Amino acid sequence: MITDPTVIDELINQFHFLQCADAGFVRQFLGNTKIMHLPADQPICQQGMHCSHLALVIEGTARVYMIGENGREITLYRIGPGESCILTASCIMSQKPFPAFAVSEQPIQALIISTSDVVRWSNQEQAWRDYLFQLISERLSNVISVVEEVAFRRVDRRLAKYLLQHTDNDSSRMQATHQSIASDLGTSREVVSRILKDFEQQGLISITRGAITLEDRHRLNSKSTD
Amino acid sequence: MITDPTVIDELINQFHFLQCADAGFVRQFLGNTKIMHLPADQPICQQGMHCSHLALVIEGTARVYMIGENGREITLYRIGPGESCILTASCIMSQKPFPAFAVSEQPIQALIISTSDVVRWSNQEQAWRDYLFQLISERLSNVISVVEEVAFRRVDRRLAKYLLQHTDNDSSRMQATHQSIASDLGTSREVVSRILKDFEQQGLISITRGAITLEDRHRLNSKSTD
DNA sequence: GGCTACTGTGTGACTTAGTCACATACTGTG
DNA sequence: CACAGTATGTGACTAAGTCACACAGTAGCC
């Protein structure tokens, strides 16, 4: 049950479907959900789990990833504000176990919705339904582009792109260990270390423990495309 | 418009949602769809296309795959009777371009539904909606398991599994070129050829032009798991 | 039959990736 | 400053992908 009008305003602002939905639904929605807080680096879903709730992220991010037999990881996608762990939704709608892992990265504030409400509302309110479809579709194309990456693209180019995407244009600096990068890309730490070292020797980046600074975004960009 | 009562019986039998749906919807459904025939090896969707129709497969199969920069292919999943090119549905619901390719493998007989009907019915009929959610979710987990395969599993083991999955227990023979196998697995023809040759030398299979016969399913199975 | 074009397969040499077993370096805590 | 814990570096090796080209089976055609 959510009552604070400031919070309600924020929610309506962030979750577009609440703007399109009719007033009765919004009332019901606010009456049946609650806000949850979760610290950073907490597991959210385990592989094989059955999901009992759907979380809509208000603040913070979560990472959804798989673990291979060898212990290597690969990130499927991240969930940010306004999004939801749609794999959960997908599991709810198809009643299958969750095929991956999810963990909070930053502290998370999220709306919690019970599976029964998820299903009920999807039969009742078009705005909610559209939101669900939208998210699942989004994730499907996310995951498909992950397939493309791992199946076809060279690690050095993927890494170059990754560095560009994870830094601002001005600061050009990112906090990350080689292991965390490897886990995102689905490769091994040694490979990342070697390629980074190579980039450094070419003057594209500079490396310090736990952080990387881009020195030549332009040349790095041409590396990433070929 | 579909009127033939035999055909209607078959459809209701094959598409479960028609059994759950109310009579009015079924009437509407049959009134607004038509049956299409497509020969084998015809392109269905191109990457980047906007989908104008959804096809529900009655008979035959289609393959949904991606092509990498280098020309290599990887199969994301196949669509069989009772299923639908749900990527299309996903594109329809999220209004995004199609991120892959689809091609008929065997001759296809399919129900054609316009995008507007897809959307309209999803707002109107729960059985149809559930069918869509179910399919998209299914595909999402399909594609996720493809990620797992390519990111973590060795090609020889994936190939062993592939051979077992694509042969009956009794005949143990399959028609396929090394290239077609490579395109399914997302690797290159040479790699498949070499591994197959290796399997042959170990007495697990025998190879003839365009076909493979399994000689020792049991040992092949232990190869596939490790 | 024999010629030809086409498709399918084999192979070596080379590059890129991933694995394993370590060595080494940095950082915070007491 | 010593220590434990985390982060990175490196060589040797295996697995996978690329490239160039050889060669074998098949079908059509005269």
Side-chain angles (χ1 to χ4, degrees):
Chain A
M1 178 76 177
I2 298 169
T3 50
D4 181 340
T6 329
V7 173
I8 292 177
D9 272 3
E10 264 175 45
L11 289 179
I12 290 180
N13 200 29
Q14 192 160 40
F15 294 98
H16 189 253
F17 67 88
L18 290 175
Q19 288 165 44
C20 313
D22 73 61
F25 170 74
V26 175
R27 227 182 351 260
Q28 206 184 129
F29 182 87
L30 295 171
N32 282 277
T33 50
K34 55 184 177 211
I35 291 183
M36 186 206 61
H37 293 263
L38 193 71
D41 303 312
Q42 292 296 306
I44 301 172
C45 293
Q46 302 287 322
Q47 192 154 34
M49 227 176 82
H50 278 272
C51 307
S52 60
H53 296 274
L54 175 66
L56 304 197
V57 176
I58 300 168
E59 217 173 84
T61 61
R63 182 171 82 100
V64 175
Y65 63 100
M66 312 194 59
I67 301 187
E69 344 174 42
N70 41 22
R72 244 158 72 209
E73 297 182 5
I74 186 168
T75 298
L76 296 175
Y77 53 83
R78 290 193 155 73
I79 301 163
E83 299 177 327
S84 114
C85 181
I86 203 57
L87 256 192
T88 317
S90 162
C91 297
I92 290 172
M93 304 308 283
S94 69
Q95 310 193 331
K96 289 186 134 192
F98 195 72
F101 294 84
V103 65
S104 60
E105 292 195 298
Q106 290 130 36
I108 285 186
Q109 193 186 349
L111 281 179
I112 297 301
I113 305 172
S114 74
T115 53
S116 57
D117 286 340
V118 172
V119 173
R120 191 154 49 86
W121 293 340
S122 81
N123 287 324
Q124 186 182 313
E125 176 57 41
Q126 178 175 358
W128 171 250
R129 189 155 59 230
D130 289 347
Y131 175 74
L132 286 185
F133 268 121
Q134 182 78 28
L135 274 178
I136 301 190
S137 303
E138 195 104 345
R139 291 322 168 194
L140 188 54
S141 50
N142 278 352
V143 175
I144 286 178
S145 60
V146 172
V147 171
E148 172 160 45
E149 292 265 309
V150 293
F152 300 132
R153 301 197 59 227
R154 292 178 40 157
V155 177
D156 52 354
R157 302 193 181 143
R158 294 171 57 209
L159 180 50
K161 181 177 158 197
Y162 180 92
L163 293 174
L164 289 166
Q165 285 181 338
H166 288 252
T167 50
D168 316 328
N169 231 308
D170 26 325
S171 84
S172 276
R173 186 186 147 84
M174 70 181 289
Q175 298 264 35
T177 66
H178 301 179
Q179 180 59 64
S180 71
I181 298 174
S183 295
D184 274 349
L185 296 178
T187 180
S188 67
R189 199 260 315 157
E190 295 91 319
V191 172
V192 171
S193 286
R194 274 194 266 263
I195 296 173
L196 284 178
K197 167 132 291 202
D198 190 46
F199 284 173
E200 188 179 42
Q201 274 161 2
Q202 294 176 53
L204 303 176
I205 63 174
S206 56
I207 305 176
T208 54
R209 183 187 171 93
I212 295 167
T213 311
L214 308 201
E215 302 294 348
D216 190 339
R217 298 183 75 90
H218 187 259
R219 276 205 294 148
L220 200 59
N221 187 54
S222 58
K223 278 265 165 201
S224 82
T225 58
D226 194 340
Chain B
M1 178 76 177
I2 297 167
T3 50
D4 181 338
T6 329
V7 173
I8 291 177
D9 271 3
E10 266 175 44
L11 288 180
I12 289 180
N13 201 30
Q14 192 160 41
F15 294 97
H16 189 252
F17 67 88
L18 290 175
Q19 289 166 43
C20 313
D22 74 62
F25 170 74
V26 174
R27 229 184 348 264
Q28 205 184 132
F29 181 87
L30 295 171
N32 283 278
T33 51
K34 54 184 179 214
I35 291 182
M36 186 206 61
H37 293 262
L38 192 73
D41 302 312
Q42 292 296 307
I44 300 173
C45 293
Q46 303 286 323
Q47 193 156 33
M49 228 176 80
H50 279 271
C51 308
S52 60
H53 296 274
L54 176 65
L56 304 196
V57 175
I58 300 167
E59 217 173 83
T61 61
R63 181 170 82 99
V64 176
Y65 63 101
M66 312 194 60
I67 301 188
E69 344 174 43
N70 42 22
R72 246 159 69 208
E73 296 181 7
I74 186 166
T75 298
L76 296 175
Y77 53 82
R78 290 192 154 74
I79 302 163
E83 299 176 328
S84 117
C85 181
I86 202 57
L87 256 192
T88 318
S90 161
C91 297
I92 290 172
M93 303 308 282
S94 69
Q95 310 194 331
K96 288 186 136 193
F98 196 72
F101 294 84
V103 65
S104 60
E105 292 194 300
Q106 290 133 35
I108 285 186
Q109 194 185 349
L111 282 178
I112 297 300
I113 306 171
S114 74
T115 54
S116 56
D117 286 340
V118 172
V119 173
R120 192 155 46 87
W121 292 339
S122 80
N123 287 324
Q124 187 182 313
E125 175 58 45
Q126 177 175 0
W128 171 249
R129 189 156 57 230
D130 290 347
Y131 175 74
L132 286 185
F133 268 122
Q134 181 80 29
L135 274 178
I136 300 191
S137 303
E138 194 105 344
R139 290 322 168 194
L140 188 54
S141 49
N142 278 353
V143 175
I144 285 177
S145 59
V146 172
V147 171
E148 171 160 46
E149 292 266 308
V150 293
F152 300 132
R153 300 197 60 229
R154 292 178 40 152
V155 177
D156 51 355
R157 304 193 180 145
R158 293 171 58 207
L159 180 50
K161 180 177 158 198
Y162 181 91
L163 294 174
L164 289 166
Q165 284 180 337
H166 288 252
T167 49
D168 315 329
N169 232 308
D170 27 325
S171 84
S172 275
R173 187 184 144 84
M174 69 180 290
Q175 298 263 38
T177 67
H178 301 179
Q179 180 59 64
S180 71
I181 297 174
S183 294
D184 274 349
L185 296 179
T187 181
S188 67
R189 199 260 315 157
E190 295 92 320
V191 172
V192 171
S193 286
R194 276 193 264 263
I195 296 173
L196 285 178
K197 166 131 293 202
D198 190 46
F199 285 172
E200 188 179 42
Q201 275 161 1
Q202 294 177 53
L204 304 176
I205 61 173
S206 56
I207 306 176
T208 54
R209 184 187 170 93
I212 296 167
T213 311
L214 308 200
E215 302 295 348
D216 190 340
R217 296 184 77 91
H218 187 259
R219 275 204 296 146
L220 200 59
N221 187 52
S222 57
K223 279 261 167 206
S224 82
T225 57
D226 194 342

